Amino acid sequence: MFDRLVGNQRAKDTLRRMLVGRRVPGALLFAGEDAIGKKLFALELAKARNCLAPAGVEACDKCSSCVRITHFADAPADRSDDAKHIIWSEHRDVGLVRAEKNIIKVDQARELERETNFRPHEGRARIFIIEEADRLNPQASNALLKALEEIAPTSHLILLTARPANLLTTIRSRCQTIRFAPLTAEEIENYLVRNKRRAGEEARLAAHISRGRLGLALSLNLDAYREGREAMLSILDALTAVQADRVRLLRAAEDLGDAKRKDDFEPRLDVLETLIRDAWLLSLDPATKIVNEDIRDRLTRLGAKLKSGHAADWMARIQELRGQLAVNINRRVATDALLLSMASR
Ligand SMILES: [Zn+2]
């Protein structure tokens, strides 16, 4: 049932209306940021179309059809020939296609073209989900266009993407688009608590730092987050000391720019920016809502030490560095430059 899913009430209403009116289109495009539930909504639609004991137009979540649709045999990543194939759920009418090495290839799109022509094996409809549909390469896009033109009335293709603009216009125009929004921190916190995935302060912190992405809130390693945050807080301590502590800053820059920590670099910049914003907001309004609620007192003290204009300037410099990351810069040198320029303000 759609009510089991968190947030995106408008998407729920639209999908329910389609089911009630028996007008589920052959091609749907679910557009919205990563990890906010697009795939869960697609699977819910697949269940609703094939449920053996539906409640109205919605899936029961209990029958063998509903249960099998949520079980996918994940193809092992090291077998390149699997990339050609559809990954099937335990229900023979529900499958998904996923990019391998960041590309969805023409063989995968051709297989979709073939399979969407068949009548359902056991259910009422065949559903094919394309994850990260913006990763279709040009030949695959053309093959998919053919599939969209010839799709059987009992088949549905659901394209998921966080970057709809990267799809061919001709593909977009053949799909009915449903937009998905990030969830609110409250929606995520309630979900985590209700489903006993996290409790109390942990749930609140995960809800705030995941910025609307439930998938992220579930998979976050909060201990690692806190460790990274501690390092970024020490940078802020050094920056806001009466005399900016350059030795400490250079040591922090060395740690942040460390090549071994390549994957941590951008997340840590994000954390640094969030901490600056939190401290700044607290300096303007001590009762305001912040991301790092669990260290509110510490951030209030930091905020009190911020000089006028510094926070905005620092955030702009971090943004600038992030822009440079797109081109291949030396992170270590760039980080030194960033922290020293922040200290010189
Ligand atoms: Zn069912």
Side-chain angles (χ1 to χ4, degrees), residues 43 46-47 50 52 63-74 86-96 121-123 125-127 129:
L43 288 172
K47 286 193 280 178
N50 287 301
L52 303 173
C63 71
S64 81
S65 173
C66 283
V67 171
R68 281 179 294 127
I69 283 172
T70 48
H71 287 138
F72 279 85
D74 260 344
I86 291 170
I87 303 168
W88 292 98
S89 73
E90 289 175 13
H91 191 294
R92 201 50 182 111
D93 290 315
V94 179
L96 71 84
H121 282 281
E122 58 165 308
R126 312 202 87 199
I127 317 278
I129 300 167

Side-chain angles (χ1 to χ4, degrees), residues 216-286:
L216 182 62
L218 287 166
S219 64
L220 265 173
N221 178 339
L222 284 181
D223 289 335
Y225 174 79
R226 288 202 185 90
E227 190 194 320
R229 186 175 68 181
E230 205 50 50
M232 296 305 103
L233 277 166
S234 89
I235 289 180
L236 281 186
D237 281 335
L239 281 171
T240 52
V242 181
Q243 191 70 322
D245 187 342
R246 282 166 189 258
V247 176
R248 201 165 150 195
L249 278 175
L250 284 175
R251 209 178 303 132
E254 191 177 342
D255 188 47
L256 179 60
D258 187 346
K260 289 194 290 293
R261 293 184 181 277
K262 195 164 169 283
D263 295 340
D264 288 345
F265 188 71
E266 279 193 76
R268 287 198 175 187
L269 280 185
D270 286 346
V271 171
L272 181 60
E273 201 182 343
T274 310
L275 290 170
I276 295 169
R277 187 182 297 112
D278 278 355
W280 182 38
L281 289 174
L282 286 169
S283 73
L284 303 173
D285 171 11

Side-chain angles (χ1 to χ4, degrees), residues 5-201:
L5 304 176
V6 195
N8 280 297
Q9 189 58 43
R10 278 177 60 188
K12 285 177 192 169
D13 293 343
T14 306
L15 291 168
R16 274 200 197 102
R17 264 199 312 276
M18 289 174 175
L19 285 164
V20 170
R22 294 169 181 276
R23 285 193 318 267
V24 181
L28 283 160
L29 179 63
F30 287 4
E33 282 176 40
D34 288 325
I36 59 175
K38 298 189 298 295
K39 187 171 157 195
L40 290 176
F41 273 71
L43 288 172
E44 198 59 38
L45 184 61
K47 286 193 280 178
R49 290 290 280 118
N50 287 301
C51 180
L52 303 173
V57 293
E58 298 207 34
C60 73
D61 282 320
K62 296 188 188 82
C63 71
S64 81
S65 173
C66 283
V67 171
R68 281 179 294 127
I69 283 172
T70 48
H71 287 138
F72 279 85
D74 260 344
D78 55 344
R79 283 180 48 195
S80 57
D81 55 330
D82 281 327
K84 291 175 194 156
H85 300 298
I86 291 170
I87 303 168
W88 292 98
S89 73
E90 289 175 13
H91 191 294
R92 201 50 182 111
D93 290 315
V94 179
L96 71 84
V97 161
R98 177 179 290 158
E100 290 285 331
K101 301 200 177 88
N102 292 335
I103 290 174
I104 299 174
K105 299 204 182 86
V106 68
D107 289 334
Q108 291 170 285
R110 285 202 186 116
E111 190 165 337
L112 283 171
E113 188 191 341
R114 191 164 54 246
E115 292 288 342
T116 49
N117 266 313
F118 294 145
R119 293 193 49 75
H121 282 281
E122 58 165 308
R124 293 187 296 279
R126 312 202 87 199
I127 317 278
F128 299 93
I129 300 167
I130 307 180
E131 291 184 359
E132 297 186 286
D134 48 280
R135 297 197 183 276
L136 287 155
N137 72 11
Q139 296 101 307
S141 294
N142 285 323
L144 188 76
L145 264 177
K146 268 185 79 187
L148 293 174
E149 279 161 13
E150 298 162 5
I151 193 163
T154 46
S155 291
H156 308 283
L157 273 167
I158 307 177
L159 285 66
L160 315 182
T161 182
R163 293 161 290 274
N166 291 2
L167 284 163
L168 288 185
T169 349
T170 39
I171 289 185
R172 278 209 309 271
S173 67
R174 279 182 170 78
C175 299
Q176 184 159 339
T177 299
I178 298 184
R179 297 200 175 279
F180 286 75
L183 310 179
T184 65
E186 285 74 19
E187 284 170 336
I188 292 184
E189 186 180 342
N190 289 340
Y191 176 90
L192 295 173
V193 172
R194 206 170 52 235
N195 291 280
K196 300 191 169 48
R197 300 296 294 268
R198 293 185 197 272
E201 200 174 83

